[in-house]
Every structure is written in structure tokens, then in C-alpha cells.
Amino acid sequence: MIRKTFTDIFLPWSSVYLLFSASLLSTDLKCAGGMLVTSTGPQTLQKAEGERLTLGCRYTPSLSDTGELDIEWSVVSPDTTQKDHMLLSFTSGTTYIHGDSALGKGFRFAAPDPSMGDASMSISPLSPAHSATYQCKVKKSPGVDARKVSLVVMAKPSVPQCWVEGGELIGGAVSLHCQSAGGSTPLLYSWRRESTGPLPAAATQDGVSGELRIRNHSESSAGFYLCEVNNAVGAAHCRINLKANKPPNRAAVIVGSIVGSLLLIFLLLVFIGLIFWKLSSRRGFEKEFSNDIREDAPPPESRPVSRRTNRSSSQPTPAYRQVGSPNDGHTHSPSSQGHTPDKHTPECDSMDGFAV
């Protein structure tokens, strides 16, 4: 009876002692573990271009870490055979910026004094070139620890454009389109009515192309629609007013088409007739002009001339001799007074046969 009571008393105290010993041992092992980076969060970040980002790297050294504090921020090379690219470092109370100046301008320690347990790095402004895997490494001999974070910098979607394809006729099909010219893919489009009402039952939308198609358009489908485009870092939207137009009277359209066709044919025939009349008038005028005899001036009057005169003008004047002086070789003019010309035998004109 006494032995049973002793056992009941001793066992509870022994359990408490063992738990206390285990707790002390765990604390000693944790202190002996060395440097510890305590920052937590997602291992992959997606941020918008132009924003500011702080990559956390808080650390806690152990009592056994007595060496000099050394902090390094670097870009992890995707190729394991290549060295990492150093960005920032803190050694002996001095901050160093590594790499080219263009990239180094965007990086700096977030805390004024990184030796106080906060080695976080800020990047501003973000650009697509900052997409990489970053590593924070804190070392204080003999302890060392590190943390890696992957960053993806994306562009927000640009303001999309909305437009309608189709005649917006009641009873017909109509399509609403939405397209964003900029932004990192993938882009997701979604349509909704600006009012609280749902989309028409006959409407189907494509989230990749940004099309909203309404098969049987009606007056109840008319109104303002809102298109929103999204990606992982932002959103943008546009709105459009969809109208419901009554279709035109088909009979009136047919009659109008026939009347218009007949009028066009009539005008064409009139035009051809005018051309034919013009050509015929021109040919008649040219023919009349070629047959017309016009007298500009009367011919000059001819002067009558006797044949004798013409013939005598072409023959020499006959000479007359003085009567009674046959041997006299001098000739006298018929106009000499006191003399009578000798008569001679008339000659015959060889051309006309008249006596001269």
C-alpha cells in the first residue's frame, strides 16, 4: 500500500523534469545554430512597372557569432556554371554598390544601418530589366544564412479600345470588341453591363480575344457595356453604348432599288443619244462645208484684142519703098508726106489661115 503511493508521487515530478531538460536542450541547440534570416513571404513576386519594391532580409545572429558582419545582395545566375552578379554589399560599416551605374542606381539598402538586423533592399523604379532571382546572404563567423526571392516585373494593361461590328439591327447578330494595345501577357478580357443587369441570354464572350457576341439582338440588349482587361499587376477598362435600330422596310428597299436602276438606265440612254446626235450633226456640217462653192471676188475683165493686132505684134512691120526710086535703099516710114506706099501681095497666116 505504501509502495503504490510512492510511485504515484514520484512519476509526475519525473515527467516535469524531463520536459524542462528538453526545453533547455532545444534552446541551446538553437543558439548553437548560428545566423538566422527571419524574413518570410512569397518566394515569387509579381510587381508592376514603375512601382517601388522592398525585398525583405531581416536577420538574427546567435551568441556564438563573433566574427565581422558581412551582407551581400546578388542576382542569381540561371546558369549554375556562372557566377552570381553582385549588387550591394555591407562590410566593416561601409556600403558598396557593385555593377554598372545604370543598374546600380535602382538598388539601395532600405535601412540606414544594415548592421542593426535589417538588410532589406529597395528597388525603385521597377523596370522589366529587374526581373530576376535575388539572394540576400548574411554572414557573421561562424554563422551564415541566406534567402532567395524571384521577382517578375510586368507592364500594366493600357486603356483598351471598344467598338461595335454589325448594324445594331434588331433581330440580327452584333459583336462588341475590346482590345488593349499594351501590357504584359497574359491579358484577360471580361464584359459586363454597366447597369446591374446581367448579360443577355444570347450573349457569349471570349476572354482571350475580348469579343462579346449577341446572336439575336433586341431592344432589351441595348445599353452601356463595360469591358475590363486584367493581368497580374493591373487593370483598365472602356465602355460603349450599344443601340437597337429597327431594320428597314424590305419592300421599300426593293422598290427603291428597281426605281433607281430604271433611272440609271434612262440617264444612260439619254447620254448615248446626245453623243449620237452630236456626232451626226458634226458629220452633216463637214459634208455641207466641203460641197459649198463660195465666190470671194469676181474674176478680172479681159480686154478684147484683134487677131490681127496679135499677129501683127508678132511680125515685123513691112517696109515701103519710094516710087520712082527703085534703087534707093533707104526706107521711109508710112507717115512720110508726099509719098504713096507700094501695094504688096497679102500674105496668109499659117496658123489661122486669114489674110493679113
Side-chain angles (χ1 to χ4, degrees), residues 51 58 64 96 98-99 104 152 154 190 205 222 320:
E51 294 182 352
R58 291 182 176 273
S64 61
Y96 298 93
H98 304 271
V152 179
M154 306 175 66
S190 62
Q205 61 175 319
Y320 296 93

Side-chain angles (χ1 to χ4, degrees), residues 51-57 73 87-88 103-111 118-126 130 134 151:
E51 294 182 352
R52 178 178 178 179
L53 174 66
T54 298
L55 300 178
C57 185
W73 272 101
L87 297 174
L88 294 175
L103 184 62
K105 288 181 180 180
F107 299 94
R108 69 173 184 273
F109 285 105
D118 187 4
S120 301
M121 180 180 68
S122 65
I123 309 174
S124 178
L126 289 175
H130 292 142
Y134 297 88
L151 174 63

Side-chain angles (χ1 to χ4, degrees), residues 37 39 55-59 73 117-120 136-138 147:
V37 175
S39 293
L55 300 178
C57 185
R58 291 182 176 273
Y59 62 92
W73 272 101
D118 187 4
S120 301
C136 172
K137 184 177 181 181
V138 183
R147 179 175 184 259

Side-chain angles (χ1 to χ4, degrees), residues 138-206:
V138 183
K139 181 172 62 175
K140 189 174 184 181
S141 299
V144 59
D145 198 8
R147 179 175 184 259
K148 293 182 180 179
V149 180
S150 295
L151 174 63
V152 179
V153 181
M154 306 175 66
K156 294 181 180 180
S158 61
V159 177
Q161 292 184 351
C162 294
W163 71 94
V164 181
E165 284 187 359
E168 301 178 86
L169 300 177
I170 296 176
V174 63
S175 296
L176 304 181
H177 291 268
C178 178
Q179 194 68 38
S180 178
S184 299
T185 56
L187 297 176
L188 182 62
Y189 298 91
S190 62
W191 282 94
R192 62 182 175 86
R193 300 191 74 162
E194 196 171 40
S195 60
T196 56
L199 291 175
T204 57
Q205 61 175 319
D206 188 344

Side-chain angles (χ1 to χ4, degrees), residues 332-340:
H332 299 272
S333 172
S335 60
S336 301
Q337 297 181 359
H339 293 84
T340 301

Side-chain angles (χ1 to χ4, degrees), residues 68 218 231 285 349:
E68 186 176 356
S218 62
N231 64 2
F285 176 76
D349 188 357

